[in-house]
């Protein structure tokens, strides 16, 4: 008799994975579509309107007398309507009557048709990358157009912060993990327990004390300062992650190397690093994504000046003080996703192996 248990389990797992993929894919698709739509269309209709559907489409326009009193009943084609009805739209003989331009006293006559919103534009990306244009009133009463800064400077600032803040803690944590796993020295267990304990300490509690020290040392607002901050906050997790991987390597491998006269540095550089590539790639992805998308730490230790502003700050400022440019966030979000996606796909073949490193022996 065939066992149905494994088949049912496989079907259940595939179903759950499909649901998770759909839950993630649909909003991402909506964000991508919205990034190519004009601001007016984003405000009026949802992104799913690009799919062919039946909707009201204008076929004619009725122009009323400019002196029509909107506070009184309005007669259209022999039928009387109120201003409120024309605001919401009213159906008459299969057609829909709705204000097209209330001030100009024009009414749009619409009928159901198969429509598809295909009005796409690159204006959102052009504004995000090239900067927004501003009209400035001069003292003589004239106006001057100024071009704001785009995201190119912020992109390079973010890259200058993220790459060193990823390499430095991984480099230090790899040495530390090797020492905790295979070297014997006084206080080894105590130091390791302290590092593990630091995992539960919220980084927010350390921001103000570190900021005071940075201010006295002149490190606040510098790249070196933000590299140290990100490295310190990321070291406990990276050390623990690398320890789990390195500690599971065969002991005979190290004994053979020591018998051949290899030093600890030679073993680390010639054996540990090549064998730990999957783990290094996996933790690099996590550290890179965390630093790339960071807002709080960069704001505290680097500042929000245009010359050092990272992309997360730039994106937050795109909406303006009144939130009137929020449609630009769709394009800015995809621009900010390009580098993390490139890093993930470049290292994704090591990702699963790195996460499972140290989970089993043999």
């Amino acid at each position: 008799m065939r066992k149905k248990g494994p088949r049912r389990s496989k079907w259940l797992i595939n179903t759950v994975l499909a649901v998770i993929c759909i839950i993630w894919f649909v909003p991402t698709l909506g964000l991508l579509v919205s990034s190519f739509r004009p601001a007016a269309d984003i405000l009026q209709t949802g992104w799913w309107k690009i799919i062919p559907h039946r909707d009201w489409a204008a076929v004619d326009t009725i122009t009323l007398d400019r002196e029509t009193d909107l506070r009184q009943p309005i007669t259209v084609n022999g039928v009387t309507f109120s201003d409120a009805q024309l605001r919401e739209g009213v159906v008459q003989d299969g057609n829909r009557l709705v204000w097209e331009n209330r001030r100009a006293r024009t009414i749009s006559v619409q009928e159901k048709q198969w429509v598809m919103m295909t009005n796409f534009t690159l204006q959102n990306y052009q504004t995000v990358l090239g900067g927004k244009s501003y009209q400035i009133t001069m003292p003589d009463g004239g106006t001057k157009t100024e071009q704001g800064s785009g995201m190119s400077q912020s992109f390079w600032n973010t890259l200058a912060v993220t790459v060193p803040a990823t390499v430095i803690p991984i480099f230090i944590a790899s040495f530390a993990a090797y020492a905790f796993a295979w070297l014997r020295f006084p206080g080894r267990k105590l130091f390791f327990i302290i590092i593990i304990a630091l995992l539960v300490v919220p980084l927010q509690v350390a921001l103000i004390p570190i900021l005071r020290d940075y201010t006295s040392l002149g490190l606040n607002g510098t790249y070196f300062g933000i590299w140290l901050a990100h490295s310190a906050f990321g070291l406990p997790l990276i050390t623990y992650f690398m320890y789990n991987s390195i500690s599971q390597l065969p002991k005979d491998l190290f004994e053979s190397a020591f018998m051949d006269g290899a030093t600890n540095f030679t073993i680390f550089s010639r054996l540990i690093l090549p064998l730990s590539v999957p783990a290094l790639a996996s933790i690099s992805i996590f550290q890179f994504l965390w630093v790339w998308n960071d807002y709080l730490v960069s704001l505290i230790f680097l500042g929000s000046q245009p010359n050092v502003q990272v992309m997360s700050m730039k994106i937050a400022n795109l909406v303006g003080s009144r939130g009137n440019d929020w449609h630009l966030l769709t394009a800015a979000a995809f621009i900010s996703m390009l580098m993390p996606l490139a890093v993930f796909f470049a290292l994704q073949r090591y990702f699963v192996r790195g996460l499972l490193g140290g989970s089993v022996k043999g």
Side-chain angles (χ1 to χ4, degrees), residues 62-213:
I62 298 176
T63 303
L64 303 178
D65 189 273
R66 295 297 297 268
E67 304 300 326
T68 301
D69 189 355
L70 301 183
R71 293 171 295 182
Q72 301 296 327
I74 303 169
T75 302
V76 182
N77 295 335
V79 183
T80 301
F81 305 102
S82 65
D83 178 48
Q85 289 177 310
L86 291 176
R87 284 174 180 268
E88 297 179 0
V90 61
V91 179
Q92 179 189 28
D93 299 330
N95 292 332
R96 181 171 180 258
L97 303 179
V98 66
W99 282 120
E100 179 183 85
N101 189 327
R102 187 172 176 272
R103 184 183 298 272
R105 305 297 194 268
T106 58
I107 298 175
S108 175
V109 181
Q110 303 173 344
E111 65 178 18
K112 284 280 188 177
Q113 295 180 356
W114 283 98
V115 295
M116 181 176 176
M117 304 292 291
T118 57
N119 187 20
F120 297 122
T121 179
L122 294 175
Q123 183 61 43
N124 294 336
Y125 286 94
Q126 292 174 355
T127 303
V128 169
L129 293 174
K132 184 180 177 181
S133 298
Y134 297 90
Q135 292 287 341
I136 301 176
T137 303
M138 306 301 292
D140 58 358
T143 59
K144 180 181 179 182
T145 301
E146 290 286 346
Q147 191 73 19
S149 60
M151 291 188 67
S152 57
Q153 181 63 42
S154 299
F155 177 85
W156 293 113
N157 292 340
T158 308
L159 198 63
V161 170
T162 305
V163 174
T166 301
V167 175
I168 294 173
I170 291 178
F171 181 76
I172 297 174
S174 299
F175 276 108
Y178 169 67
F180 286 127
W182 296 106
L183 300 185
R184 299 294 180 264
F185 54 90
R188 180 173 65 95
K189 292 184 178 180
L190 177 61
F191 290 140
F192 189 71
I193 291 174
I194 293 175
I195 290 177
I196 300 304
L198 290 175
L199 290 173
V200 301
V201 178
L203 65 88
Q204 289 82 359
V205 302
L207 295 180
I208 300 303
I210 295 177
L211 180 60
R212 290 177 178 176
D213 293 336

Side-chain angles (χ1 to χ4, degrees), residues 123-125 127-128 132 318-319 325-333:
Q123 183 61 43
N124 294 336
Y125 286 94
T127 303
V128 169
K132 184 180 177 181
L318 282 176
V319 296
D325 292 329
W326 67 267
H327 61 280
L328 298 177
L329 294 180
T330 56

Side-chain angles (χ1 to χ4, degrees), residues 11 37-38 55 59 81 116 166 172 222 240 258 275 308 326 343 354:
W11 178 85
R37 302 185 70 203
D55 202 351
V59 295
F81 305 102
M116 181 176 176
T166 301
I172 297 174
T222 65
Y240 179 68
F258 277 119
L275 293 175
V308 294
W326 67 267
V343 171

